[in-house]
Amino acid sequence: MSKLYEVLGVEKHASQQEIKNAYRKLAKKYHPDLNHGDEEAQEKLKEINTAYEVLGNEERRAQYDRYGDAMFQNGGMGAGAGFGDMGDIFSDLFSDLFGGGAGARARRNGPMVGSDIRVDLRVPFMEAVFGAEKEISYTKSEHCHHCEGKGYDETGSKKTCDRCGGTGQVSYAQDSMFGRFIRQEVCDVCHGTGEVIENPCPVCHGEGLERKKKKLRIKTPKGVDNGDVLPLQGEGNDGKNGGPAGDLYIVFHVEPHDIFRRQGLNLHFDMPISFTQAALGAKLDIPTTTGKEAFELKEGTRTGEQFRLRGKGIENQRGQKGDLFFTVHIDTPTGLNEEQKELLRKFADATGEEVNEQKKGFFDKVKDLFD
């Protein structure tokens, strides 16, 4: 019983004005002018129209509240409550929403802005840091070179649609137990434009646009990061009927670096140092994006300590600079000769550290475990 109310998204006790406002909102949302070629939107608009045809009239609404969906079954009570006036109601509503009649058709046949294009671009890490010139290739819709965007050449022409008579809409009559009502839909021949092309262009097949490959040189912004977007106005698909072109949006994907990890404008990396450097301190050459930077490591440094070089991170287009952070990790020596081992034993004795040298390898110990 409440299905039509659900279609319009209103309560059963909603006022006529609330029903009309809900219909206006939904009709505009699913109108073909805003959903070109979307079959799901067309079906949704049919449901919305049917719901408003009933609920938008007090008498029909009362009958629906009483009989429910049974009022749509054939046969019934004759034409006393006929729906022949619905065309005027739709004309009034769509006039408010889209300018109505010839005005709506003029918009469909008037200038239309071209759609936007997205291009995903991978850039090496250092090119993202400093910026670089790149050449990109993409496919876009451009005005047909053969018909100059009209959709037909000298052998063809454009005429008023015979199916809808130029209105862009067709009406269907449906009988119910309460009589006949009229349902309006977008013309399936001209798709709402009110016009059809005879002998369309052999290149674009009447679309006025053709797909072409295009190359474009761009400048990667300095400091660009993953997910950053570079908009290029007017480089998208060409518009129809003299409308302006859409825009091109380049989405950057920065490749990882062998050493540096990025967090915003800051850079991070791990710096291996020897046990001796950690214990006694040392002068280190720290890698940066512009070369090596001298750094005095204090004695007694522990593994996992982090240090900062201010302003040595990434600089963006606005001149903001990040910092460089490095974390030291003590690299345990391997492959020591006997002399080096003896020196370490003496060091251990001097510090009172007990040394337990493992003469056997791992697999020797496993063997001993099960003997």
Side-chain angles (χ1 to χ4, degrees), residues 334-347:
T334 59
L336 298 176
N337 58 35
E338 190 58 36
E339 181 182 358
Q340 292 168 330
K341 290 180 180 179
E342 183 60 30
L343 290 173
L344 288 176
R345 293 188 192 105
K346 291 180 179 180
F347 174 78

Side-chain angles (χ1 to χ4, degrees), residues 121-136 217-226 228 230 252-257 260 262 267 289 314-317:
L121 180 63
R122 293 183 63 86
V123 295
F125 188 89
M126 286 302 179
E127 287 187 7
V129 172
F130 297 107
E133 285 195 0
K134 305 282 288 185
E135 183 177 82
I136 62 172
R217 293 198 67 82
I218 66 166
K219 173 70 174 179
T220 302
K222 181 170 60 175
V224 69
D225 201 357
N226 270 319
D228 285 350
L230 176 65
F252 293 100
H253 302 274
V254 181
E255 296 175 353
H257 193 267
F260 301 116
R262 179 171 179 173
L267 293 176
T289 58
I314 296 174
E315 182 178 1
N316 63 17
Q317 291 283 86

Side-chain angles (χ1 to χ4, degrees), residues 272-341:
I273 60 174
S274 69
F275 169 75
T276 306
Q277 289 174 319
L280 304 179
K283 179 180 288 187
L284 303 178
D285 286 331
I286 304 301
T288 72
T289 58
T290 57
K292 294 180 179 180
E293 187 81 10
F295 182 83
E296 289 287 344
L297 185 70
K298 64 181 180 179
E299 64 179 50
T301 297
R302 296 178 180 274
T303 190
E305 284 195 58
Q306 187 181 78
F307 300 91
R308 173 192 287 186
L309 295 180
R310 296 187 180 276
K312 294 299 180 180
I314 296 174
E315 182 178 1
N316 63 17
Q317 291 283 86
R318 298 186 295 275
Q320 298 171 318
K321 292 183 179 181
D323 299 328
L324 175 66
F325 297 85
F326 66 95
T327 303
V328 297
H329 296 276
I330 297 176
D331 191 8
T332 303
T334 59
L336 298 176
N337 58 35
E338 190 58 36
E339 181 182 358
Q340 292 168 330
K341 290 180 180 179

Side-chain angles (χ1 to χ4, degrees), residues 11-65:
E11 301 291 339
K12 288 192 65 176
H13 54 74
S15 67
Q16 281 297 303
Q17 187 60 47
E18 288 174 330
I19 291 174
K20 187 173 184 179
N21 291 341
Y23 173 72
R24 288 173 181 268
K25 182 178 179 179
L26 292 172
K28 184 173 183 179
K29 178 179 179 180
Y30 293 103
H31 194 268
D33 282 354
L34 305 180
N35 301 273
H36 184 67
D38 189 338
E39 294 183 1
E40 185 176 342
Q42 292 182 16
E43 290 300 318
K44 186 67 176 178
L45 186 59
K46 291 179 185 178
E47 294 181 8
I48 296 166
N49 286 344
T50 300
Y52 186 73
E53 287 172 2
V54 176
L55 302 182
N57 179 278
E58 290 284 9
E59 183 180 353
R60 289 190 288 272
R61 180 181 179 183
Q63 293 167 345
Y64 178 74
D65 288 342

Side-chain angles (χ1 to χ4, degrees), residues 64 67-75 176-178:
Y64 178 74
Y67 296 103
D69 293 337
M71 69 179 293
F72 295 108
Q73 298 174 1
N74 290 330
S176 75
M177 65 183 295
F178 298 105

Side-chain angles (χ1 to χ4, degrees), residues 19-283:
I19 291 174
K20 187 173 184 179
N21 291 341
Y23 173 72
R24 288 173 181 268
K25 182 178 179 179
L26 292 172
K28 184 173 183 179
K29 178 179 179 180
Y30 293 103
H31 194 268
D33 282 354
L34 305 180
N35 301 273
H36 184 67
D38 189 338
E39 294 183 1
E40 185 176 342
Q42 292 182 16
E43 290 300 318
K44 186 67 176 178
L45 186 59
K46 291 179 185 178
E47 294 181 8
I48 296 166
N49 286 344
T50 300
Y52 186 73
E53 287 172 2
V54 176
L55 302 182
N57 179 278
E58 290 284 9
E59 183 180 353
R60 289 190 288 272
R61 180 181 179 183
Q63 293 167 345
Y64 178 74
D65 288 342
R66 182 176 180 182
Y67 296 103
D69 293 337
M71 69 179 293
F72 295 108
Q73 298 174 1
N74 290 330
M77 300 172 61
F83 297 164
D85 62 336
M86 290 307 295
D88 294 336
I89 294 177
F90 288 129
S91 176
D92 173 65
L93 284 173
F94 282 101
S95 177
D96 291 343
L97 290 171
F98 302 104
R105 292 195 301 276
R107 263 186 298 282
R108 287 191 288 268
N109 294 321
M112 297 176 61
V113 179
S115 58
D116 298 329
I117 298 175
R118 167 177 171 156
V119 172
D120 292 274
L121 180 63
R122 293 183 63 86
V123 295
F125 188 89
M126 286 302 179
E127 287 187 7
V129 172
F130 297 107
E133 285 195 0
K134 305 282 288 185
E135 183 177 82
I136 62 172
S137 299
Y138 65 103
T139 303
K140 63 172 291 187
S141 296
E142 293 187 345
H143 294 133
C144 177
H145 73 281
H146 183 73
C147 67
E148 298 179 343
K150 297 191 302 293
Y152 58 93
D153 57 19
E154 63 277 0
T155 65
S157 62
K158 185 179 287 188
K159 70 169 188 174
T160 300
C161 177
D162 293 332
R163 170 83 164 143
C164 65
T167 64
Q169 295 183 350
V170 291
S171 300
Y172 297 93
Q174 181 174 340
D175 292 326
S176 75
M177 65 183 295
F178 298 105
R180 171 172 294 187
F181 66 94
I182 307 299
R183 185 176 76 253
Q184 290 189 330
E185 297 181 7
V186 176
C187 177
D188 57 348
V189 175
C190 68
H191 305 292
T193 65
E195 296 177 327
V196 294
I197 294 176
E198 293 185 320
N199 298 324
C201 171
V203 175
C204 68
H205 308 290
E207 289 295 318
L209 300 170
E210 59 178 325
R211 302 290 286 170
K212 290 184 178 180
K213 291 282 189 180
K214 183 170 182 178
K215 292 185 177 181
L216 190 66
R217 293 198 67 82
I218 66 166
K219 173 70 174 179
T220 302
K222 181 170 60 175
V224 69
D225 201 357
N226 270 319
D228 285 350
V229 179
L230 176 65
L232 298 176
Q233 188 174 5
E235 295 293 347
N237 292 314
D238 282 355
K240 287 187 175 182
N241 304 323
D247 298 332
L248 172 66
Y249 293 92
I250 300 176
V251 181
F252 293 100
H253 302 274
V254 181
E255 296 175 353
H257 193 267
D258 291 337
I259 297 176
F260 301 116
R261 303 183 303 274
R262 179 171 179 173
Q263 293 183 358
L265 295 179
N266 296 326
L267 293 176
H268 297 256
F269 75 96
D270 296 322
M271 180 75 178
I273 60 174
S274 69
F275 169 75
T276 306
Q277 289 174 319
L280 304 179
K283 179 180 288 187

